Amino acid sequence: MSPTSTISEPPSRAALRSARRVCVKAGTSVVANEDGRPSLTRLGAIAEQIAELSRSGVQVIFVSSGAVGMGKRVLRKQSKLSMTVQEWHNEQDNNSQQKVKGGTSAGVSTSTSFASLLNLNARPHTFEEKAKCYDSACAAAGQFEMMNFYSSLFDQADVSASQILVTQSDFTNDHRKQNLMYTVDRLLTLGVIPIINENDAVSANEGYTSANIFSDNDSLAALCARSFSAEVLVLLTDVPGVYDSSPKENPNARLLPLYRNDIPIAIGTKSSQGRGGMSSKIDAATFAVSAAGDGDDSSVCSACVVAAGSDLDSIRAILGPDPKYGSKGTLFVTPGSDLETQALIDFKSESPSSTGISANQTNVSKEARQKAVEARTEARKLQVLPHAVRKNMLYAIANALLEREDEIMAANAMDVDQAEADGTALVLRKRLKLTDQKLATLSSGLRQIADQPDPLGVLKAKREVSHNLELSLLTVPIGVLMIIFESRPDSMPQIAALALASGNGLLLKGGKEAVNSNAKLHEIIGDAVEEGSNGNIKRSIIALVTSRGQVADMLSLDDVIDLVIPRGSNALVSYIKGNTRIPVLGHADGVCHVYIDSSCEDATAASNLVVDAKIDYPSACNAMETLLLHKDTVTGVASSVLMALRAAGVKCLGGPAAMKMGLADVAAAELKCEYGDLTCMVEVVDSMDDAIDWIHQYGSGHTESIVCADDSPNGEEFLRRVDAACVFKNASTRFADGFRFGLGAEVGISTGRIHSRGPVGVEGLLTTKWQLRSNGGVSYVGEYAGEAPKKKYTHKELM
């Protein structure tokens, strides 16, 4: 048995191993020894571990310090070599005189053949200016030596590396930042390790104050992790992690497995090498995992680990596929995230006092189980009641949404106001806001579900097994569903209606942004359930999870929860899939394409469809994110379509071919991206075959559409060949919706291949069971066995 099957680790640490893009930073104390010479042992281990990750498909961004330290040694050596014999004797005399006087030597004196940068008195500058000038020259000399080492080490591991030197303006200037992001993404896509460092030779350490965008390589690494879409950041330093006090000054200092802002930290003296310290690492790690805001919506960095670079297995212990090396360092996580919830649960058993978990939270698991069990009990009662009872309950909810509209809108207004005050991203605020039209549409959809035929007990197959032995297959509820959704309170009535119509129990967890809206809607739905069923079904059939801890606990309740359906971001879906044994139904990305075929000649129709697919609801998962243009349409239909998109306020980024043709001004940083706003990517393809290949490579299997002539055979071929949950011909991707499909509503859109695919309505929440009826006495297998069986199998289909 492999070590991975015998060694367990906290789920919050195990989740880091699923990251596909990471950033690793090695500090000066890790890269170089105290004398400035590179540490071959540590550098070799770092290169080997990064190469292992790269070969396993993980994209690694490497931020390295150490150039200045190495450069100092180079310049000292070069200064010595540049001296004349007379100058060398003069230096020895000066050093002897200084020692007699109790002074110290600078190590190098002024040379007529080499103006020493080490003799700061020879330059009429302030001390700060001298230090900058000195470090700039050291950086220039050290970068060359450092990259020679890295090039040699990565060559030995058969991995390619490249160097990127950055300054503050590379991140503050939008154009330069876009170019930088494209460069990094392109290198990573090709399997090249970008080695990033500050260009001290040019910036002269200008980033030394809090007013600058980065003040050391720790903050530079955090900025790189956020800017270049790294999911995890690892900061390698000279200590095993963050302690509650300095381990050098306090022998009883305790290493923290999880960092929290409410835990007091005593920072000791910083290393003699580098310009950062533990304080800068804590600041950088906290910044790296801070929640994305309006100005930083693309950040996906949810975890950072501060660990020892002297531990030659640190990187593989944190990010590698095998947990046998144990958990290393101190974990930082995004506040309020599901990963934080799991981490708090993971580490409370190791050190309850360090996590700050109150006694009231220790019984969360018991409460979570109780809610799940109550929902299952009520669901089993609902299954045996007539269809008319479920129908009455749905009508009661539909009526209540309109009758109590004022209450709902008041609660929603509180959430919207709070979201604006908190600086919540505009995309999430749009999803959060309820309107009269949304409530009317919800009510109409619920009536549509209620008017559908009874989905339970539908006979799917009937077979005569033998004479008087009849087998039937019929539909039944799945059991208890857990739906987790973000920022969309209008999801709750839809999901509740579909669960009730299919006879399932339901646990709901909405986003924290909609706490008031969700509470009010849950109250109204609960009242309607009890009213519509005449008290036969309790409101506990639909439970609302309000504590963040309860979600993590419920993910472990695979004995009482039968299916989890996450509706939200890629990070949410990935987290849930990686932290539960319960089956998960849903999609992680909504990267939808519209392909303009060479047969398309109606520019107006194509423009209307494409604009609708993008702007009708830009943050929806079925909105178009990539527009593919056949090369023959570039000077005709495509030109009109692009003009229409831009006129509608859409920012069009260019793929490689589109940039060459001048169809866009800014290159797309990623070829697969769910923008969720008025941004899309445009790319040109040579044929429909190329378009389909592109969709299969960069799509998410959600919804794909072709725009072509009505009589073109390409339309039907596209429908047949494209592998996605929804494939359309001459229709907007926005049609991929349960209400528009006539399902009444949907619990989500599934891109999986098992059980249900596409918009999931009532049928997607059903499973089947077999019923075997023996008529005219009992039946047993022994009657069918032996050389002279009493009975024979007939296996005759009855329907």
Side-chain angles (χ1 to χ4, degrees):
M1 185 176 291
S2 66
T4 54
S5 60
T6 58
I7 297 177
S8 61
E9 66 176 338
S12 57
R13 283 307 189 102
L16 306 188
R17 303 184 190 280
S18 64
R20 307 320 296 163
R21 179 175 290 188
V22 300
C23 181
V24 176
K25 183 264 178 179
T28 302
S29 59
V30 175
V31 172
N33 295 315
E34 290 188 2
D35 61 359
R37 296 178 184 273
S39 171
L40 300 180
T41 301
R42 294 192 292 270
L43 287 176
I46 289 171
E48 181 181 357
Q49 292 174 91
I50 289 177
E52 288 176 5
L53 291 176
S54 181
R55 286 194 292 268
S56 68
V58 179
Q59 297 177 342
V60 185
I61 301 163
F62 184 34
V63 178
S64 176
S65 300
V68 172
M70 292 185 187
K72 287 179 181 179
R73 186 179 64 84
V74 172
L75 291 189
R76 286 194 184 103
K77 176 182 177 182
Q78 189 62 35
S79 178
K80 295 282 189 182
L81 293 174
S82 301
M83 287 182 180
T84 65
V85 174
Q86 183 61 45
E87 288 169 344
W88 185 85
H89 282 295
N90 291 339
E91 181 196 14
Q92 300 308 307
D93 293 340
N94 290 336
N95 289 346
S96 299
Q97 294 173 10
Q98 288 175 353
K99 289 178 181 178
V100 171
K101 295 177 181 179
T104 58
S105 172
V108 179
S109 62
T110 305
S111 168
T112 55
S113 58
F114 181 75
S116 175
L117 289 165
L118 299 182
N119 190 346
L120 301 179
N121 293 324
R123 300 179 65 84
H125 298 156
T126 64
F127 179 80
E128 290 79 7
E129 289 172 333
K130 295 170 186 174
K132 289 180 180 180
C133 180
Y134 169 65
D135 282 353
S136 296
C138 291
Q143 282 291 348
F144 183 77
E145 182 175 15
M146 187 172 71
M147 282 308 300
N148 274 339
F149 275 106
Y150 282 135
S151 178
S152 176
L153 291 171
F154 281 116
D155 279 347
Q156 292 296 318
D158 199 26
V159 172
S160 297
S162 64
Q163 183 181 34
I164 301 177
L165 298 178
V166 298
T167 61
Q168 176 173 295
S169 59
D170 294 319
F171 292 93
T172 56
N173 182 286
D174 289 341
H175 180 68
R176 296 179 69 165
K177 184 177 180 181
Q178 285 291 334
N179 289 337
L180 180 60
M181 292 170 64
Y182 175 79
T183 298
V184 172
D185 191 72
R186 184 63 175 157
L187 291 171
L188 293 173
T189 302
L190 295 174
V192 179
I193 308 296
I195 302 176
I196 302 176
N197 196 0
E198 180 182 359
N199 191 352
D200 291 319
V202 173
S203 66
N205 296 340
E206 288 178 354
Y208 269 42
T209 68
S210 59
N212 287 279
I213 193 165
F214 54 85
S215 57
D216 50 56
N217 277 348
D218 293 318
S219 53
L220 172 60
L223 188 61
C224 288
R226 293 180 69 85
S227 300
F228 306 143
S229 301
E231 299 163 79
V232 180
L233 170 64
V234 176
L235 298 177
L236 298 179
T237 183
D238 57 347
V239 292
V242 179
Y243 287 79
D244 57 357
S245 60
S246 172
K248 294 180 180 179
E249 301 166 10
N250 178 12
N252 297 319
R254 183 168 51 87
L255 178 66
L256 302 177
L258 176 67
Y259 178 83
R260 292 191 54 177
N261 289 327
D262 55 356
I263 301 175
I265 304 292
I267 305 296
T269 57
K270 86 173 190 69
S271 165
S272 60
Q273 297 171 274
R275 62 186 193 239
M278 184 51 67
S279 178
S280 73
K281 287 167 180 59
I282 292 174
D283 290 343
T286 303
F287 168 64
V289 302
S290 58
D294 285 332
D296 191 21
D297 289 334
S298 62
S299 176
V300 296
C301 187
S302 59
C304 175
V305 178
V306 176
S310 58
D311 185 331
L312 305 185
D313 290 315
S314 279
I315 298 174
R316 58 172 64 96
I318 297 165
L319 300 171
D322 198 333
K324 69 180 182 181
Y325 300 98
S327 295
K328 308 282 187 181
T330 299
L331 175 65
F332 291 69
V333 292
T334 301
S337 66
D338 292 308
L339 186 58
E340 183 193 45
T341 299
Q342 185 61 51
L344 291 173
I345 294 170
D346 292 343
F347 296 115
K348 73 180 179 183
S349 60
E350 294 187 16
S351 179
S353 61
S354 69
T355 61
I357 294 179
S358 66
N360 292 334
Q361 289 176 283
T362 58
N363 292 323
V364 163
S365 181
K366 184 181 296 185
E367 181 183 353
R369 175 175 291 278
Q370 181 179 350
K371 285 189 174 184
V373 170
E374 288 177 356
R376 184 180 293 280
T377 299
E378 295 304 309
R380 285 175 173 162
K381 289 163 55 178
L382 181 61
Q383 293 172 28
V384 299
L385 293 177
H387 178 224
V389 174
R390 282 177 277 133
K391 189 171 183 175
N392 288 339
M393 291 163 60
L394 295 181
Y395 270 114
I397 297 173
N399 293 336
L401 290 177
L402 300 181
E403 292 168 359
R404 301 176 67 175
E405 179 180 327
D406 291 344
E407 297 177 48
I408 297 171
M409 298 302 286
N412 184 245
M414 294 170 61
D415 291 329
V416 173
D417 291 344
Q418 187 62 50
E420 291 177 352
D422 292 343
T424 303
L426 181 60
V427 171
L428 296 181
R429 296 207 303 269
K430 287 182 177 179
R431 292 178 178 176
L432 175 62
K433 187 174 178 61
L434 292 175
T435 63
D436 296 346
Q437 184 179 357
K438 280 187 178 181
L439 291 179
T441 301
L442 284 173
S443 180
S444 175
L446 266 58
R447 295 175 190 278
Q448 192 178 61
I449 296 171
D451 291 337
Q452 293 176 355
D454 188 357
L456 299 182
V458 176
L459 196 61
K460 308 294 286 186
K462 192 173 183 179
R463 180 179 301 125
E464 180 188 271
V465 176
S466 71
H467 182 63
N468 291 334
L469 191 60
E470 188 176 283
L471 180 67
S472 302
L473 177 68
L474 65 159
T475 57
V476 294
I478 289 176
V480 175
L481 314 175
M482 181 177 179
I483 317 294
I484 303 174
F485 55 99
E486 293 180 333
S487 307
R488 295 187 62 173
D490 54 325
S491 297
M492 183 184 289
Q494 299 179 54
I495 295 167
L498 291 171
L500 294 172
S502 55
N504 288 289
L506 183 62
L507 277 71
L508 290 165
K509 175 64 177 77
K512 62 180 180 180
E513 301 87 357
V515 59
N516 296 296
S517 305
N518 290 335
K520 177 56 65 176
L521 286 168
H522 181 252
E523 174 194 329
I524 291 172
I525 292 170
D527 292 344
V529 164
E530 294 183 342
E531 176 190 339
S533 66
N534 291 321
N536 290 310
I537 302 297
K538 298 178 182 177
R539 63 176 61 238
S540 57
I541 192 173
I542 299 175
L544 178 64
V545 181
T546 55
S547 165
R548 298 196 66 82
Q550 285 176 282
V551 177
D553 281 351
M554 286 184 175
L555 290 177
S556 67
L557 300 179
D558 53 299
D559 58 330
V560 289
I561 298 176
D562 301 295
L563 182 67
V564 178
I565 305 178
R567 293 188 62 173
S569 65
N570 189 350
L572 171 70
V573 178
S574 299
Y575 169 80
I576 291 172
K577 287 183 175 180
N579 289 275
T580 186
R581 291 180 294 179
I582 306 171
V584 178
L585 181 70
H587 69 280
D589 295 297
V591 183
C592 304
H593 296 74
V594 174
Y595 164 59
I596 307 294
D597 185 58
S598 60
S599 65
C600 177
E601 297 179 349
D602 191 336
T604 301
S607 298
N608 290 339
L609 186 153
V610 170
V611 170
D612 176 86
K614 184 64 221 180
I615 75 167
D616 180 66
Y617 197 167
S619 60
C621 62
N622 57 10
M624 181 194 75
E625 303 293 3
T626 299
L627 174 64
L628 296 177
L629 306 170
H630 190 283
K631 64 180 181 180
D632 293 345
T633 68
V634 170
T635 57
V637 173
S639 178
S640 299
V641 171
L642 291 175
M643 287 178 62
L645 278 172
R646 290 178 173 124
V650 178
K651 180 180 180 181
C652 297
L653 305 178
M659 290 299 293
K660 288 181 180 179
M661 294 185 178
L663 298 183
D665 297 325
V666 179
E670 300 176 73
L671 300 184
K672 178 181 180 179
C673 182
E674 184 176 10
Y675 297 102
D677 57 17
L678 290 175
T679 305
C680 73
M681 188 182 77
V682 179
E683 181 58 327
V684 178
V685 294
D686 291 339
S687 64
M688 187 178 73
D689 289 342
D690 289 342
I692 294 174
D693 288 343
W694 177 284
I695 288 169
H696 288 162
Q697 182 173 358
Y698 299 112
S700 60
H702 192 294
T703 302
E704 315 295 351
S705 180
I706 183 175
V707 184
C708 61
D710 287 338
D711 57 355
S712 172
N714 286 352
E716 292 302 316
E717 185 177 355
F718 186 88
L719 292 173
R720 179 175 57 85
R721 290 175 53 191
V722 171
D723 184 8
C726 302
V727 188
F728 300 159
K729 170 188 172 183
N730 289 335
S732 168
T733 56
R734 288 283 292 132
F735 279 106
D737 174 82
F739 179 77
R740 297 185 180 98
F741 275 16
L743 306 178
E746 65 184 37
V747 293
I749 295 181
S750 171
T751 55
R753 300 173 185 276
I754 298 176
H755 180 68
S756 185
R757 200 177 188 196
V760 181
V762 172
E763 287 191 7
L765 303 181
L766 301 173
T767 186
T768 56
K769 74 174 179 182
W770 293 98
Q771 293 180 342
L772 186 63
R773 294 178 175 85
S774 180
N775 301 312
V778 299
S779 296
Y780 49 94
V781 172
E783 295 178 291
Y784 299 83
E787 296 182 358
K790 295 180 180 180
K791 296 181 180 180
K792 294 184 178 181
Y793 294 108
T794 59
H795 291 159
K796 183 170 68 175
E797 300 298 332
L798 301 179
M799 67 170 290

